[in-house]
Amino acid sequence: MRAASRVFSGLGTTIFTTMSALAAEHGAINLGQGFPDDEGPDDIRAVAAKAIMDGPNQYPPMMGMPQLRRAVAAANKRFYGLDIDWQSEVMVTSGATEALADCLIGLLNPGDEAILIEPAYDSYRPIIEAVGAKVVTVALEPPHWSLPLDGLEAAFSDRTKLILLNSPMNPTGKVFSRAELDAIAALMIRHDAYAVCDEVYEHLVFSGAAHIPLMTLPGMRERCLRIGSAGKTFSLTGWRIGYITGPANLMAPVAKTHQFVTFTTPPPLQLAIAWGLEQDDAYFAQLASSLQAKRDRLAQGLAAAGLDVLPTDGTYFISADFRSLLKNKEGFNGSDDEFCREITVKAKVSAIPVSAFYADPAKAPQHLARFCFCKQDAVLDDASARLKAYAKGQGG
Ligand code: PMP
Ligand code: GLN
């Protein structure tokens, strides 16, 4: 038999699917894969239900429903002051996952280099490698996840086509600072590079932190493709609606990719998300403040269980260092992958090992687990209590 794609046949099942399956098998509370444990907002779902009955239900325009493209352009203006032409500079995709693939396939040629900042979301690398481009990584430094500017500079070369920037960042909860964005922008200009900006958590940012799209910095408007996700912004991860904002000349090849990947995305859902994006600022602020309270609730529960919780300024996620459970050398003493499996089976709470976000396990931290907090309060409390009981059994 002829071999299939080297990149994809060598890949395992994603860590998110793997841990969700393990959680289900052991009846564990699933704080692994990032998704809210409710059905999402009633009002947006009501708009979608009506749109399914009233139509349209046939192929929408390839770039997306005009209502949603206009709403995305208006949201860019309202939240970030960006002037965007909705017709040539906005495209709707089937989730940010498709948007990422479209951008990478649309921009990269074989032999180009693409910079990833580790820990990095798992879908980036395989797409880059499948088109024959090379991944160059720069690793953030835990526990503060600072960006090493010398390492960043060393990652750029005259073959750098793009950098992939995820802010607010999964799994760290880091929101990149203005100074870090300035440094990235300066290197992009020096090396004539683009940025694919994964900003799916743009509205899930907590007090004290501010999300600044790289695209708003001087010289960046023409170099950035900015990706949003209705799944995250409206707690509807199963709907698969994403959107890309970018200059028309970059959008053109990205749209050519989209036309042969999914071509379009369900029009009634697009209309409902357009309605959502038109809601007032309080609508967005309410989601962020409710998530912030959940972050604090789970942080307290994890700390009470004896875990060393790292700060998180955005996203659905909080990381914890579990070496603190190793009191009197009796507690857990394995890798992060082993820890996440152990607590799934024994504590009946599952999490994601942070090392899964690194290509080379030898370079990854082995002592951090990522917990998802976009769950009902009672579920978070139950998970904390289970972890506390587990830790107690460990001598912690
Ligand atoms: N980027 C990051 C950093 C994510 O965490 C996720 C999903 N959790 C995605 C992209 C994909 O988003 P979507 O569900 O809209 O495809
Ligand atoms: N991005 C989600 C997470 O980090 C998972 C999405 C997926 O399973 N593909 O948990």
Side-chain angles (χ1 to χ4, degrees):
M1 292 273 279
R2 305 284 299 271
S5 152
R6 252 193 304 281
V7 172
F8 289 100
S9 54
L11 282 179
T13 304
T14 82
I15 187 70
F16 311 112
T17 302
T18 303
M19 292 310 297
S20 283
L22 197 68
E25 186 187 331
H26 292 278
I29 296 176
N30 188 355
L31 302 188
Q33 193 175 29
F35 60 90
D37 62 350
D38 60 23
E39 290 300 327
D42 287 347
D43 46 13
I44 298 187
R45 287 188 293 124
V47 175
K50 185 168 185 312
I52 284 179
M53 294 318 294
D54 293 352
N57 289 289
Q58 306 305 340
Y59 291 132
M62 186 271 281
M63 294 292 281
M65 295 292 285
Q67 293 91 329
L68 180 52
R69 285 148 68 203
R70 280 199 195 96
V72 170
N76 271 294
K77 180 73 179 170
R78 167 162 52 137
F79 292 110
Y80 311 117
L82 287 165
D83 287 303
I84 302 295
D85 172 32
W86 70 268
Q87 299 202 64
S88 61
E89 298 188 311
V90 177
M91 187 175 80
V92 178
T93 58
S94 290
T97 307
E98 195 225 348
L100 284 159
D102 292 347
C103 290
L104 295 170
I105 296 170
L107 290 185
L108 290 167
N109 284 315
D112 286 344
E113 290 180 1
I115 298 175
L116 295 185
I117 301 176
E118 287 188 325
Y121 186 61
D122 64 349
S123 80
Y124 309 150
R125 178 182 283 269
I127 305 290
I128 294 167
E129 291 182 342
V131 300
K134 187 178 159 215
V135 173
V136 177
T137 55
V138 50
L140 300 182
E141 291 159 355
H144 301 296
W145 303 114
S146 45
L147 178 64
L149 295 184
D150 48 349
L152 180 70
E153 187 168 355
F156 275 85
S157 79
D158 56 8
R159 288 177 302 283
T160 305
K161 174 68 75 65
L162 62 88
I163 179 166
L164 208 154
L165 179 66
N166 175 211
S167 182
M169 189 188 210
N170 178 6
T172 61
K174 175 186 172 76
V175 179
F176 281 70
S177 69
R178 173 70 201 226
E180 289 169 326
L181 297 176
D182 279 336
I184 293 170
L187 286 163
M188 284 169 58
I189 290 170
R190 193 191 309 163
H191 293 277
D192 190 20
Y194 302 118
V196 174
C197 300
D198 179 345
E199 300 181 18
V200 298
Y201 299 103
E202 61 185 321
H203 292 294
L204 314 187
V205 178
F206 311 132
S207 62
H211 169 57
I212 307 170
L214 183 63
M215 195 177 203
T216 60
L217 268 58
M220 291 293 103
R221 174 71 171 78
E222 300 309 314
R223 292 184 180 275
C224 292
L225 288 162
R226 201 177 86 72
I227 297 173
S229 167
K232 315 292 178 191
T233 296
F234 298 108
S235 310
L236 292 160
T237 60
W239 275 24
R240 320 305 305 127
I241 305 250
Y243 21 87
I244 309 173
T245 303
N249 64 320
L250 296 187
M251 194 62 86
V254 172
K256 295 282 162 52
T257 311
H258 166 70
Q259 77 179 343
F260 294 136
V261 173
T262 58
F263 180 46
T264 59
T265 295
L269 301 186
Q270 293 194 45
L271 292 180
I273 296 303
W275 182 89
L277 281 175
E278 283 157 4
Q279 299 312 296
D280 60 14
D281 290 2
Y283 198 93
F284 296 83
Q286 203 281 330
L287 174 65
S289 65
S290 133
L291 273 176
Q292 179 170 328
K294 290 181 184 299
R295 171 199 67 174
D296 294 342
R297 195 176 193 103
L298 185 63
Q300 274 169 17
L302 295 177
L307 292 157
D308 208 349
V309 176
L310 273 58
T312 185
D313 290 329
T315 76
Y316 284 156
F317 309 113
I318 193 163
S319 298
D321 183 338
F322 51 81
R323 288 175 300 188
S324 49
L325 292 184
L326 193 61
K327 296 218 180 88
N328 307 321
K329 304 221 178 309
E330 284 174 29
F332 184 82
N333 194 18
S335 70
D336 58 347
D337 194 63
E338 288 161 346
F339 178 74
C340 291
R341 287 170 188 277
E342 156 120 346
I343 59 172
T344 303
V345 175
K346 293 200 183 148
K348 307 273 182 232
V349 176
S350 69
I352 300 289
V354 168
S355 65
F357 292 76
Y358 291 76
D360 180 355
K363 292 193 182 144
Q366 298 288 335
H367 56 277
L368 297 173
R370 187 198 82 174
F371 295 86
C372 174
F373 53 76
C374 56
K375 307 289 176 187
Q376 288 162 40
D377 289 350
V379 173
L380 297 176
D381 292 348
D382 190 4
S384 298
R386 291 180 187 199
L387 286 168
K388 192 170 180 181
Y390 162 80
K392 215 166 168 202
Q394 294 287 299

